[in-house]
Each structure stands twice: as structure tokens, then as C-alpha cells.
Amino acid sequence: MENIALVVGATGITGSNLAEKLLAKGWITYGLSRNPNTDIPGLKTISADLLNPDELAAKLVDVAPTHVFFTSWMRNDTEAENIRVNSAMVRNLLNSLSAKKSVQHVALVTGLKHYLGSFEAYAKAGTLPETPVREEHPRLDLANFYYAQEDEVYAAAERDGFSWSIHRPHSVIGKAVGNIMNIGTTLAIYAVICKETGRPFHFPGSAEQWNELSDVTDATILAEHMIWAATTEAAHNEAFNVANGDVFRWKWLWKQIAEWFTIEPTGFDGAIHSLEEEMAGDAPAWKEIAAKYSLKESDINRLASAWHTDLDLGRPMEVMTDMSKSRKLGFTVYQDTRDSFFNLFEQLRLEHLIP
């Protein structure tokens, strides 16, 4: 039977890389988003609003996917609103497909806020888990839209009889323009601005992040993991952490990134220096840089998400994931984290997004 994938959120870091992997493996692949990605050859694009059930039903009338990969979410002002909106997105999508009876598996991407708490209670004392975080760690007694999304998948699976997998990556490293959680490109933009203006390339985060162990998730690793779980029976109806497979300290990686951009690094100096504040006035500088080097994107807000990078680098604890569950079931793909960043930087340069 032919594999037909529906990638929800196909313009994001996770969704776009996943779509490319699926197409390379011979899957018929649809990409659903509000503003479709037309840069991926072979991707069948669908423009639809996940909060509009009637529009979804109309746009999906001729689409009968065997596998759904849900990688989309929408940020709102409060966690209560995050829960309302993001659970509705999952529910509406799965309801629109229910009558077709074509769906065999649904994969949902969430993240480490499953363990660390929502934006409103992120990494606060009293809620922090032991590290490395493991999948059996119970849900926190806090409101969290990730839990609400999971519950929508569980309810639809019970109703429609498909299998599911939950994927919890750490910070995802990969290329996407217009993505609101993009630490790799954010650091690249910051490095370029520091180089062009002569400002110090100052580590913005906490002592714990500077000194202690961390890991990240390459977008290609996450894509491989989602396809593996969707097509491996032993991995069905399970939640998994997903990371590159190595660990690092930012005090080491910061120097590596600085060396790639041929700038001098400045390490942790005893205080957190918010990158959002540091880059608050950099929009004009980036426009000048973009004009100077004929770059494709002159709007810094389409490339950098300093607020989210502050969340990752300002955490008051080391954060890394345990991958034993996936390894025991046969997922052995590995990525060197230094290569994740360097490959991204090369791609950004090749596509004229950085000089």
C-alpha cells in the first residue's frame, strides 16, 4: 500500500525538513500550512486555516493520508489561550479526516516544555525534573498546551483506531524563514551583526547553561525519528525524546560558533544578558547588512527569535535528554551537534540569508 503523508506545518523547521525526507523516501507528501511552502520540489501544498473546520474539510476533501505528521502550533498571550487554540488545531484536523478512515498513524511533535513547564512557568523552581529527562516523568501539575494536544491525539486514536507517536525534541536546529523558535538562525544573525558592527559576541544565558551539559535536536534527526516511529510497530503508541545523541557545554560550543564566524567570543560574566534586549534595536542594522550583501531577507524578525533563544539559554539548570527508549527499539541515527550548527550556517550562506 502506498504511503501518503500529510505534514501539518510544512513551512516550519520541523515540517519542511520532514517533507523533504519523506519525498526522498518516495512518499506521496502533502504539506498543509496557512502560507504554503513552494520551495520543496514534489510537495503537494495545501493552504488552510487549522482553526476553520469548514475550510479544512473543503481543502482536504480529496486528500486521504495514511500518515499524519503534526508539527504546527500557534503562540498566544496566555497558556489558557494556548491550550484552547492549539488543542482546537489538532482536533479540527483529525476530525476533518475521521470519516475517510485512511489514517493509520499520527505523529505529534511537542518538546521539552513537557518536562520544564509552559511559557508562563518555564523552568521555575519546584517544577524542575531530574536530568537527563526521561519519558516516564509524569506530567507537571501545571497547565500546558502540549498535554492538551496529546490528549486530542489520544481521543481521536481511540475513536478512529490509528496508532500514534509523540516526539519531544530539545531545541531544533535547522533552516526555516519566519519560524518563531529558531535558535540556530538567531545565533547566526547575532554573530553577523556583532561582526559587522564590532560588538562583542556575548553569551546571553545563565551560568548553568554555560557550564553544564546540554543537547539539541537536528531537524534531520527529528524527521528520521518521526518516519521511523510511524513505520515501526514496536514504536507505536509511545512517547519519545529526540536529540542528536551527543552532549556539549555552551562554554565549548560558543567558541566553536565564534570561530566559524571569525569573531572573538565573550563568555558568561556572572549575569544573564537578554538577547532580546541586546538585539532590540538591530532591525535597521540588519537592513543595512542585507542591502550591503544583497541578502534575501532584510526583516530581522523573519529570521531571529531572540525571545525564544533567551528561554533556552537562560534556564537555571542543565537540560539534556535520555534517548534509551528509542535506542532499545532500534533508532540509532546520530548527529554531531557542531555539524548541526555548521551545516545550518553553510546553508544560510548558500541561500543568501547571511553573508
Side-chain angles (χ1 to χ4, degrees):
M1 183 177 178
E2 220 166 16
N3 288 323
I4 303 172
L6 174 62
V7 179
V8 182
T11 58
I13 294 176
T14 299
S16 59
N17 281 275
L18 173 61
E20 290 177 351
K21 286 281 186 184
L22 289 163
L23 288 162
K25 293 176 183 289
W27 289 51
I28 296 171
T29 307
Y30 292 86
L32 187 151
S33 58
R34 283 176 294 178
N35 301 299
N37 186 342
T38 57
D39 296 334
I40 302 176
L43 181 65
K44 302 176 184 295
T45 59
I46 302 168
S47 175
D49 182 355
L50 290 166
L51 295 175
N52 188 329
D54 292 337
E55 181 184 7
L56 269 178
K59 293 294 183 70
L60 295 173
V61 66
D62 295 322
V63 181
T66 57
H67 296 73
V68 174
F69 300 91
F70 201 99
T71 73
S72 183
W73 73 285
M74 186 180 298
R75 189 186 183 198
N76 298 274
D77 290 337
T78 67
E79 193 60 19
E81 192 67 2
N82 277 335
I83 290 169
R84 185 188 71 80
V85 170
N86 289 287
S87 62
M89 289 164 60
V90 176
R91 182 170 63 253
N92 291 344
L93 186 280
L94 296 180
N95 284 349
S96 71
L97 299 172
S98 180
K100 300 175 187 291
K101 305 300 181 187
S102 65
V103 178
Q104 301 171 15
H105 186 87
V106 172
L108 172 69
V109 177
T110 61
L112 295 198
K113 283 187 286 297
H114 183 94
Y115 308 108
L116 300 176
S118 67
F119 293 117
E120 293 178 356
Y122 190 69
K124 302 297 184 187
T127 65
L128 302 180
E130 290 184 344
T131 59
V133 294
R134 294 176 171 83
E135 294 89 346
E136 64 265 25
H137 190 279
R139 289 183 175 183
L140 302 174
D141 188 21
L142 296 167
N144 192 318
F145 79 87
Y146 283 171
Y147 304 161
Q149 285 184 311
E150 286 183 356
D151 289 343
E152 293 293 345
V153 171
Y154 301 154
E158 185 173 354
R159 177 191 67 203
D160 297 336
F162 56 73
S163 59
W164 52 265
S165 55
I166 308 296
H167 304 262
R168 300 171 185 159
H170 199 166
S171 304
V172 179
I173 310 301
K175 186 191 83 75
V177 176
N179 193 276
I180 64 173
M181 296 196 301
N182 196 339
I183 185 174
T185 302
T186 299
L187 293 180
I189 300 304
Y190 177 49
V192 169
I193 291 172
C194 289
K195 183 174 184 177
E196 290 292 317
T197 62
R199 279 160 42 190
F201 184 57
H202 201 131
F203 181 74
S206 67
E208 291 83 0
Q209 287 298 299
W210 180 251
N211 290 308
E212 298 181 13
L213 291 173
S214 187
D215 56 15
V216 295
T217 306
D218 193 288
T220 61
I221 293 288
L222 179 54
E224 292 283 6
H225 192 270
M226 295 176 74
I227 298 169
W228 164 78
T231 57
T232 302
E233 188 173 353
H236 290 174
N237 304 328
E238 297 286 350
F240 297 100
N241 296 328
V242 194
N244 282 354
D246 63 355
V247 294
F248 66 91
R249 301 181 202 274
W250 276 104
K251 66 192 301 181
W252 169 82
L253 186 59
W254 199 251
K255 298 172 186 176
Q256 303 290 317
I257 293 173
E259 184 177 338
W260 196 93
F261 285 97
T262 63
I263 54 179
E264 285 296 319
T266 302
F268 180 75
D269 66 0
I272 292 177
H273 300 275
S274 165
L275 194 59
E276 188 172 22
E277 294 177 8
E278 173 74 15
M279 299 180 70
D282 282 340
W286 184 255
K287 281 187 181 294
E288 291 181 9
I289 293 168
K292 177 181 177 180
Y293 294 101
S294 301
L295 303 180
K296 285 184 178 179
E297 184 55 69
S298 62
D299 182 356
I300 195 172
N301 295 315
R302 296 263 300 152
L303 296 169
S305 50
W307 69 273
H308 191 266
T309 300
D310 279 343
L311 282 179
D312 280 355
L313 298 185
R315 293 176 293 205
M317 61 179 293
E318 74 170 14
V319 181
M320 57 179 179
T321 58
D322 182 88
M323 285 281 290
S324 299
K325 188 174 183 179
S326 293
R327 302 296 188 225
K328 288 178 180 178
L329 293 175
F331 184 79
T332 58
V333 184
Y334 165 87
Q335 171 73 26
D336 185 299
T337 287
R338 182 165 46 183
D339 290 342
S340 290
F341 281 91
F342 293 176
N343 292 345
L344 170 62
F345 300 157
E346 291 284 5
Q347 187 177 11
L348 294 174
R349 182 170 284 174
L350 184 66
E351 297 189 20
H352 303 290
L353 291 167
I354 63 172

